[in-house]
Amino acid sequence: NLSDRLRLVVSRSLKNIQAQIVDDINGKTLVSVSSLDKSLKSDMTKAKGKIERSKIVGKKIGEKAKKNKIKEVWFDRNGYPYTGRIKAMADAARKSGLKF
C-alpha cells in the first residue's frame, strides 16, 4: 500500500532541483537535499550541467535516506515527465540504495 510508504518528492526550477522524503502520515519532511545546499556547493560548481547536478542531488538523498534507515519510498514526480533531470536524479538515488 502506497500510503504506508514514505514519499520521495522531487521539484525543479529552471536552474535547480530539490528532493525530499516526506512522511505523509505524520506530515513531516524527514530528509531533503537541494542543489542550493551549502554543503554541496563545491560539487555543484564542478558539475558541468543540470543533469550532473541532478545526479549529485539524487546520490545525496539516497545517502541521507540510508543514514536515517529509509529503504523504500514511492516516487512522486510532481507532474514532471520521467526524462532528463528527473530520471537522472531517480537513477542516482536508486544507485545509492533507495528502492522505488
Side-chain angles (χ1 to χ4, degrees):
N1 189 352
L2 286 182
S3 61
D4 301 342
R5 262 198 236 162
L6 301 173
R7 182 167 57 115
L8 171 60
V9 189
V10 72
S11 55
R12 65 178 174 85
S13 64
L14 286 173
K15 291 183 179 173
N16 297 297
I17 189 161
Q18 176 185 350
Q20 54 188 16
I21 296 178
V22 179
D23 176 353
D24 288 319
I25 294 166
N26 298 313
K28 285 185 181 163
T29 299
L30 304 175
V31 284
S32 72
V33 178
S34 165
S35 55
L36 295 170
D37 287 354
K38 286 184 174 86
S39 61
L40 296 177
K41 196 169 186 173
S42 64
D43 292 337
M44 290 300 163
T45 357
K46 289 177 203 156
K48 287 192 171 68
K50 293 188 260 189
I51 296 272
E52 226 170 280
R53 282 194 213 113
S54 301
K55 286 179 183 173
I56 295 168
V57 169
K59 182 178 181 227
K60 196 73 182 163
I61 196 85
E63 290 168 0
K64 277 189 169 183
K66 201 182 273 183
K67 267 186 202 159
N68 288 297
K69 294 177 175 59
I70 300 168
K71 291 182 178 99
E72 266 192 79
V73 293
W74 66 275
F75 190 47
D76 182 355
R77 293 180 290 120
N78 228 346
Y80 301 114
Y82 188 74
T83 57
R85 292 190 279 162
I86 303 296
K87 185 179 185 311
M89 202 263 341
D91 290 345
R94 280 192 187 103
K95 267 188 193 158
S96 321
L98 207 53
K99 285 186 183 151
F100 54 91

